[in-house]
Amino acid sequence: MVSFGRRLARVFTFVFIVATSAACGTTSHNMAGGETRLAFVAEPTQTATRDAGATPPLSFGGLAGRTVTVDSVSDLRLRKHEVALTFDDGPVPGRTHAVLDALDKAGVKATFLMVGQMAHAYPRLVREVAMRGHTIGTHTQSHANLTQVSTPNAEAQINSGMKNVSDALVPTRYRAAPFFRFPYLASTPRQRRQLAARGITVIDADIDSKDYFQSSTEQLRQRTLARVEARGSGIILMHDIHARTGKMLPALLADLKERGYKVVRLVPGGRAENLLVSSLTHNMSAGYPAPKTMRN
C-alpha cells in the first residue's frame, strides 16, 4: 500500500505539472444566469433542454438498473445482483475518456470521486463527465491519507478538494453531489461523524478491483468478476487513472450483463439541493465552511 501510495503521488505530481506547464485554463467564479443543477444530471424529459455539448439520452436497456437515491450511508444498500460502478483519482485525459466511452456504449452511469488537483488541472474533463450524465463526488485535494495528518490538514484536504471540483463545474451550472470517499479507504470515526453532520455521504467500497496492481487487462477482468460473483452485489472500486481499467471495462460490463447483473445509478437525495453549489467562493455556501490554508 505504501509503494502504491508513492506511485499514485508521482502520477498526481506528473499530471499536475504537465497541465500547469501547458497553461491549462482555470475556471471563473462567475456563473452564468440560470439555476444550478446537480452533477448527476437528472433523467432528461422530452421537453427538457440540455447544455451545448451534452450527449443525447441513452436507452438504459439491458444492463442499466434502478436509480438509488442516497441521503446517507444507510441508503447504500444494494439488492442481489446489483452493482454500482465507482472510479477514483481522476480525471485524466484519454484514460477517463476510455472509461466514459465504455459506459456510454453499455448505457450505464457511474460515480466519479475526483481529486481536487486533478479537477483543477483538467476542468473541461470534469465538465464532460457531468455532461455525460455521471455523478461526481470528491476524494480530497491531493489523495492524502487523512488518518496520518492533523485535523486542520484533513479538513483542508477535504474542503480544497470540494472547492476545486465545484469550481471546474461552474461554467456548466452543474453541481457536485455531496459524496466523498476517503483515500485508501482510511478514516477515523470522528472524520465520518463530521462529514455526516455536514450532510456529506461517505461512499465506501464492497469490491476492490485492485486495478492499481500491475496486471494484464484479462487478469484484472477475471479478478474483479470473481469478487463480484463471490459477494453477489456491491459497490465496485476502480480508478480512471489507469489505462488497463478503461481497456478492461467493456469486457467486464459484458460479463455482468451476461450473468444477469444490473448497474445501479447513485444520485443524491433532496437534501443535496441546499448543499455544495458550483459557484463556491472563498465565502463558501451553506453546508461547506471556507477551506483552511494547507500546511506544507
Side-chain angles (χ1 to χ4, degrees):
M1 181 63 72
V2 173
S3 61
F4 166 63
R6 289 173 179 169
R7 290 198 303 273
L8 188 58
R10 287 198 296 269
V11 170
F12 287 149
T13 301
F14 171 76
V15 173
F16 191 72
I17 290 174
V18 169
T20 303
S21 63
C24 180
T26 58
T27 60
S28 170
H29 288 286
N30 295 323
M31 186 174 65
E35 66 179 82
T36 57
R37 289 175 292 175
L38 293 174
F40 68 85
V41 187
E43 293 289 351
T45 63
Q46 290 184 347
T47 58
T49 58
R50 300 190 309 275
D51 285 290
T55 55
L58 296 168
S59 65
F60 292 93
L63 184 58
R66 65 192 174 105
T67 295
V68 177
T69 301
V70 180
D71 271 321
S72 66
V73 174
S74 62
D75 296 320
L76 292 169
R77 295 174 180 172
L78 303 186
R79 302 167 184 163
K80 189 72 172 177
H81 274 70
E82 284 186 339
V83 296
L85 307 176
T86 64
F87 296 89
D88 287 9
D89 299 351
V92 175
R95 298 181 179 187
T96 299
H97 286 114
V99 170
L100 292 173
D101 290 344
L103 296 172
D104 278 355
K105 289 178 181 178
V108 296
K109 300 301 180 186
T111 299
F112 289 77
L113 289 310
M114 295 184 177
V115 168
Q117 280 186 347
M118 309 302 277
H120 178 77
Y122 302 114
R124 291 183 181 179
L125 188 47
V126 176
R127 298 193 283 272
E128 182 174 351
V129 173
M131 294 172 76
R132 288 170 77 163
H134 302 284
T135 302
I136 294 177
T138 59
H139 195 44
T140 73
Q141 173 66 3
S142 61
H143 206 273
N145 186 331
L146 299 189
T147 66
Q148 297 179 3
V149 299
S150 67
T151 295
N153 276 349
E155 292 175 353
Q157 276 283 331
I158 293 170
N159 292 333
S160 296
M162 290 176 176
K163 186 177 186 302
N164 274 316
V165 171
S166 295
D167 285 350
L169 289 168
V170 167
T172 63
R173 303 192 309 277
Y174 290 110
R175 292 186 293 167
F179 293 167
F180 178 82
R181 175 171 283 158
F182 285 97
Y184 312 103
L185 302 178
S187 64
T188 67
R190 179 181 179 182
Q191 289 168 346
R192 287 178 172 266
R193 288 194 302 269
Q194 289 175 333
L195 289 172
R198 294 167 64 180
I200 300 168
T201 301
V202 175
I203 307 294
D204 288 310
D206 303 308
I207 300 161
D208 187 353
S209 69
K210 296 192 181 295
D211 55 354
Y212 43 85
F213 284 177
Q214 291 292 339
S215 56
S216 68
T217 55
E218 181 59 22
Q219 289 172 328
L220 174 57
R221 171 195 169 200
Q222 293 292 347
R223 179 171 64 241
T224 306
L225 186 61
R227 291 173 182 233
V228 171
E229 293 275 63
R231 199 176 189 282
S233 67
I235 299 172
I236 303 176
L237 167 61
M238 293 177 277
H239 300 79
D240 56 323
I241 62 171
H242 302 301
R244 67 180 73 91
T245 304
K247 292 178 181 177
M248 173 278 299
L249 190 57
L252 176 65
L253 294 173
D255 288 334
L256 293 173
K257 182 175 181 179
E258 181 181 354
R259 287 162 172 76
Y261 285 87
K262 294 290 184 181
V263 175
V264 304
R265 189 180 189 212
L266 304 180
V267 302
R271 292 192 307 177
E273 292 296 334
N274 296 317
L275 295 172
L276 215 176
V277 294
S278 61
S279 57
L280 290 177
T281 66
H282 287 292
N283 293 326
M284 303 298 281
S285 168
Y288 286 147
K292 300 179 181 180
T293 303
M294 297 283 291
R295 296 180 182 176
N296 293 327

